[in-house]
């Protein structure tokens, strides 16, 4: 508790009430003593995460979690050792990220017993939506009713307050008017939407309430905790209100509590920002998040394949480094959100970012925008399935599959724990009808399915879904058998033509897995070290180092000495 108390003093400038401190200490002790679920001590090459909604698949008169558990056991368990269930709580908007009640499971998904049943078959990652809560929540209703004890749970500001310096991820207003019980109007801080009300962590009772949520998730067995939109947690008008020091201290506090209650729990921060700011949440390697989302990877892989050049990806990868063994990257290509563009800033010129946006928009992708402090707007993310991001409308399925598998062979080779979105393993295309129904861009990559529909598609040998599912499942299962891909193993970027990316993942000093990727649409060759023999682990064929290897358009090789 010493670290926890020290952090409380820093966050609240030694004014944290002793009654709150005692209550917090009791809650931590009670949760720790009641915990029965041990966590895995450390990550390794066998850890691959599936990202999915809890209501991804439906069938009549069955909780969706029960349906998902059956589908997972039949089709996904051999590939994925951990499942990230996107928010499965009652919500009012944003497909779960406007939480009404943190402590209950949405009725359509089932209840906590269904979560526990799934947990019998896989480790689980929960979302801790720590920055904001639904405007339909009991907490906000107490606030609007002006009930005692709720007055500063949220942040109100005079509408004339100069907040022009606040970093915005959206074009919606930062302050939203709400009528109070006495008829007065207050303008409330809403970073993401009028339905997502930012919590006021400057209030110690807000902290206690949110730590109760964290402890509940630990008690329910969460192996990984994802801190959603965490960079915005602390607000100080006159600053950018993102990545503030007290925000970092809150993350360190959550980490310290998880370490105290359930050692082995992994804290992951979700900060869709430039790379330097993103990795700052790793702290000193021991005191903050164990993992950060590797947000630069998805747009850089897309950029490389789109232009047939690994130049930018290669330079960034060479500077990436590897965790010390106490931290690592959470690598992904697709997620429930779009492909973020902020993580490209500082890596690519703005002209190249805009060019990529224009090219993808011409092929049917949708673009979301953010407001800048100077009053201009910039593209914030590309909304598209990763399958359609990599390909053109007129491409045939053979080409689609080739580029798609190239991208995922890259994902699975980078240092870190890889995560695959459910729409990717299902080979999904853009859901334009879903966008019309939902009324927002992100619905393009959030389609839900009747279980009979998806199982029929996976059984159809001619369908793109069938081909993607089997090819990607086989690739993941190959990956988890390679000790070279342990997240803590180093990576070296080797010299090559800019159409190629060549990575070395050593296991021992003289034993490395060589990963060679052709980002272009033309055949390429690569000269291996002479007098060396390799084995292509994809097909078990021997490869002699005296003859340059040939790579088909968008082809790749994993070679073991």
């Amino acid at each position: 508790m010493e670290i926890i108390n020290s952090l409380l003093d820093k966050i609240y400038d030694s004014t944290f009430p002793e009654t709150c401190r005692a209550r917090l200490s009791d809650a931590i002790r009670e949760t720790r003593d009641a915990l029965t679920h041990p966590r895995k001590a450390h990550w390794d090459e066998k850890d691959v995460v599936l990202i999915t909604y809890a209501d991804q698949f439906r069938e009549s008169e069955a909780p969706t979690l029960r349906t998902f558990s059956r589908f997972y056991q039949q089709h996904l368990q051999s590939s994925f050792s951990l499942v990230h269930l996107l928010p499965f709580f009652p919500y009012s908007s944003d497909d779960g990220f406007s939480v009404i009640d943190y402590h209950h499971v949405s009725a359509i998904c089932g209840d906590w017993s269904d979560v526990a049943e799934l947990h019998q078959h896989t480790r689980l990652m929960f979302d801790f939506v720590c920055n904001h809560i639904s405007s339909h929540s009991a907490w906000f209703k107490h606030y609007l009713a002006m009930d005692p004890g709720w007055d500063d749970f949220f942040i109100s500001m005079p509408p004339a307050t100069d907040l022009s310096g606040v970093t915005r991820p959206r074009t919606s207003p930062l302050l939203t008017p709400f009528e109070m019980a006495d008829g007065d109007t207050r303008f409330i801080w809403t970073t993401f939407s009028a339905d997502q009300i930012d919590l006021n962590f400057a209030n110690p009772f807000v902290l206690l309430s949110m730590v109760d949520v964290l402890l509940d998730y630990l008690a329910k067995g969460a192996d990984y905790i994802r801190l959603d939109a965490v960079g915005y947690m602390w607000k100080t008008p006159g600053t950018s209100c993102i990545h503030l020091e007290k925000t970092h201290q809150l993350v360190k506090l959550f980490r310290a509590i998880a370490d105290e209650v359930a050692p082995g729990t992994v804290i992951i921060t979700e900060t869709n920002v430039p790379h330097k700011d993103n990795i700052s949440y790793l702290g000193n390697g021991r005191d903050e998040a164990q993992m950060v989302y590797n947000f630069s990877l998805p747009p850089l892989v897309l950029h490389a394949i789109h232009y047939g050049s690994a130049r930018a990806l290669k330079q960034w990868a060479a500077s990436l480094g590897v965790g010390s063994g106490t931290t690592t990257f959470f690598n992904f290509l697709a997620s429930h959100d779009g492909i973020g563009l902020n993580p490209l800033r500082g890596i690519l010129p703005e002209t190249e970012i805009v060019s990529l946006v224009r090219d993808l928009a011409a092929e049917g992708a949708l673009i979301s925008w953010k407001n800048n402090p100077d009053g201009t707007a910039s593209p914030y993310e590309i909304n598209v399935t990763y399958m359609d991001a990599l390909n053109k409308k007129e491409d045939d399925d053979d080409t689609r599959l080739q580029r798609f598998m190239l991208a995922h062979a890259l994902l699975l080779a980078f240092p870190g724990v890889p995560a695959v979105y459910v729409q990717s393993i299902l080979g999904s295309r853009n859901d334009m009808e879903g966008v019309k129904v939902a009324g927002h861009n992100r619905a393009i990559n959030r389609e839900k399915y009747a279980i009979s529909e998806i199982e029929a598609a996976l059984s159809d040998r001619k369908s793109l879904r069938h081909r993607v599912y089997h090819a990607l499942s086989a690739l993941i299962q190959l990956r988890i058998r390679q000790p070279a891909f342990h997240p803590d193993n180093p990576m070296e970027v080797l010299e090559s033509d800019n159409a190629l990316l060549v990575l070395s993942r050593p296991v021992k000093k003289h034993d490395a897995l060589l990963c060679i990727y052709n980002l272009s649409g033309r055949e390429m060759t690569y000269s291996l070290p002479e007098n060396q023999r390799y084995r292509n682990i994809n097909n078990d064929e021997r490869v002699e180092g005296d003859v340059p290897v040939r790579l088909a358009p968008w082809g790749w090789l994993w070679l073991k000495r």
Side-chain angles (χ1 to χ4, degrees):
M1 288 294 296
E2 183 179 345
I3 295 173
I4 294 171
N5 283 319
S6 173
L7 286 165
L8 290 171
D9 289 338
K10 289 178 181 177
I11 295 166
Y12 294 97
D13 301 319
S14 299
T15 64
F16 195 73
E18 288 306 312
T19 53
C20 291
R21 194 185 301 267
R23 180 176 147 190
L24 182 65
S25 178
D26 288 346
I28 289 171
R29 185 182 64 256
E30 289 169 8
T31 306
R32 181 191 62 209
D33 293 348
L35 212 66
T36 58
H37 168 67
R39 270 65 175 176
K40 184 175 178 178
H42 196 64
W43 47 74
D44 58 35
E45 69 278 4
K46 296 178 174 60
D47 292 320
V48 182
V49 180
L50 175 75
I51 305 169
T52 184
Y53 285 99
D55 63 346
Q56 189 64 56
F57 307 114
R58 63 186 184 276
E59 55 186 338
S60 60
E61 301 181 2
T64 58
L65 273 168
R66 205 169 298 169
T67 301
F68 175 79
S69 183
R70 176 171 59 81
F71 184 86
Y72 170 80
Q73 292 172 63
Q74 292 176 352
H75 300 285
L76 302 169
Q77 191 169 16
S78 59
S79 300
F80 300 99
S81 59
L82 196 145
V83 173
H84 172 199
L85 290 175
L86 291 158
F88 49 86
F89 318 107
Y91 69 94
S92 53
S93 64
D94 199 18
D95 286 328
F97 285 92
S98 184
V99 179
I100 293 174
D101 187 337
Y102 292 110
H103 295 284
H104 285 84
V105 176
S106 176
I108 192 174
C109 299
D111 56 33
W112 283 111
S113 68
D114 295 301
V115 176
E117 193 281 329
L118 176 60
H119 204 200
Q120 296 297 312
H121 309 286
T122 182
R123 290 179 293 144
L124 293 176
M125 174 171 163
F126 290 2
D127 270 288
F128 184 22
V129 186
C130 51
N131 179 71
H132 49 262
I133 194 170
S134 168
S135 65
H136 298 263
S137 65
W139 294 7
F140 194 57
K141 289 178 180 178
H142 282 304
Y143 175 83
L144 295 178
M146 306 180 76
D147 291 338
W150 294 88
D151 184 58
D152 60 349
F153 245 66
F154 306 97
I155 304 167
S156 65
M157 288 276 165
T161 305
D162 181 8
L163 299 173
S164 59
V166 174
T167 296
R168 298 304 319 285
R170 300 287 185 273
T171 54
S172 58
L174 178 60
L175 300 179
T176 301
F178 287 91
E179 185 176 345
M180 306 300 290
D182 63 358
D184 190 22
T185 297
R186 291 188 189 176
F187 289 80
I188 311 300
W189 200 294
T190 52
T191 297
F192 290 92
S193 78
D195 187 43
Q196 292 166 297
I197 315 298
D198 287 54
L199 292 153
N200 181 19
F201 277 93
N203 179 351
F205 291 98
V206 170
L207 178 77
L208 286 180
S209 298
M210 294 308 284
V211 169
D212 280 345
V213 175
L214 174 61
L215 293 175
D216 194 20
Y217 294 170
L218 294 175
K220 295 295 197 305
D223 299 88
Y224 286 19
I225 297 285
R226 175 186 184 268
L227 303 183
D228 175 67
V230 66
Y232 301 92
M233 275 197 298
W234 197 276
K235 283 79 174 174
T236 301
T239 72
S240 65
C241 296
I242 188 171
H243 314 315
L244 300 186
E245 180 58 29
K246 288 187 185 293
T247 291
H248 282 281
Q249 290 167 354
L250 283 169
V251 176
K252 291 177 181 181
L253 179 65
F254 295 153
R255 162 71 183 273
I257 291 170
D259 284 350
E260 179 74 18
V261 172
T265 302
V266 174
I267 299 293
I268 303 177
T269 51
E270 184 265 336
T271 49
N272 190 352
V273 294
H275 187 71
K276 182 180 178 181
D277 295 322
N278 187 28
I279 61 175
S280 71
Y281 286 87
L282 296 174
N284 66 14
R286 300 176 305 278
D287 65 345
E288 208 163 337
Q290 289 101 327
M291 292 186 196
V292 297
Y293 272 70
N294 200 350
F295 273 108
S296 298
L297 186 61
L300 280 172
V301 169
L302 171 61
H303 176 270
I305 295 175
H306 184 79
Y307 290 109
S309 170
R311 176 188 52 81
L313 177 62
K314 189 182 300 187
Q315 291 174 356
W316 172 79
S319 66
L320 194 57
V322 181
S324 60
T326 57
T327 63
T328 195
F329 288 107
F330 188 82
N331 293 325
F332 71 109
L333 295 178
S335 75
H336 63 290
D337 288 339
I339 300 170
L341 298 172
N342 273 355
L344 285 180
R345 294 183 165 105
I347 298 174
L348 290 179
E350 191 68 20
T351 53
E352 286 193 39
I353 296 173
V354 171
S355 177
L356 181 65
V357 166
R358 287 174 178 166
D359 286 354
L360 266 72
E363 293 295 333
L366 304 177
I367 311 301
S368 294
W369 299 77
K370 70 180 182 73
N371 284 340
N372 299 319
D374 63 1
T376 63
S378 299
Y380 172 72
E381 68 179 17
I382 304 171
N383 301 112
V384 63
T385 65
Y386 213 78
M387 174 69 74
D388 282 335
L390 291 169
N391 294 289
K392 297 183 178 181
K393 292 177 181 177
E394 68 268 18
D395 287 332
D396 58 36
D397 281 354
D398 288 344
T399 301
R400 287 192 178 94
L401 182 62
Q402 188 75 9
R403 290 197 188 107
F404 187 80
M405 293 306 297
L406 167 64
H408 284 81
L410 275 163
L411 166 70
L412 295 171
F414 265 74
V417 172
V420 176
Y421 185 38
V422 68
Q423 303 292 356
S424 293
I425 193 73
L426 297 178
S428 297
R429 307 287 305 281
N430 288 341
D431 180 19
M432 302 308 299
E433 185 60 33
V435 174
K436 292 178 184 177
V437 172
H440 59 82
N441 287 357
R442 285 178 168 177
I444 198 170
N445 195 24
R446 295 181 177 182
E447 189 174 1
K448 311 289 176 65
Y449 307 99
I451 193 67
S452 56
E453 169 194 350
I454 208 68
E455 288 183 329
L458 293 181
S459 299
D460 179 1
R461 292 180 176 273
K462 296 180 181 179
S463 74
L464 183 61
R465 289 197 189 279
H466 173 94
R467 296 175 67 188
V468 168
Y469 164 76
H470 285 279
L472 187 48
S473 296
L475 181 60
I476 292 169
Q477 290 162 34
L478 178 64
R479 190 255 190 207
I480 64 180
R481 297 194 297 271
Q482 310 306 319
F485 288 138
H486 191 293
D488 296 342
N489 281 345
M491 176 181 74
E492 183 182 0
V493 180
L494 304 183
E495 289 291 326
S496 67
D497 184 284
N498 269 339
L500 300 175
L501 177 66
V502 184
L503 308 176
S504 175
R505 296 294 308 277
V507 183
K508 300 173 185 176
K509 185 175 181 180
H510 300 293
D511 188 11
L513 193 61
L514 200 60
C515 306
I516 311 170
Y517 304 94
N518 179 7
L519 282 303
S520 75
R522 64 187 189 277
E523 184 179 276
M524 296 292 296
T525 60
Y526 179 75
S527 297
L528 297 168
E530 294 183 4
N531 303 316
Q532 297 288 344
R533 291 179 175 177
Y534 294 84
R535 180 171 60 86
N536 182 343
I537 65 172
N538 303 71
N539 56 21
D540 214 35
E541 292 180 355
R542 293 182 66 176
V543 178
E544 301 293 337
D546 299 329
V547 180
V549 293
R550 294 184 178 276
L551 294 100
W554 308 295
W556 55 277
L557 294 168
W558 286 349
L559 303 179
K560 181 181 287 188
R561 281 182 52 181

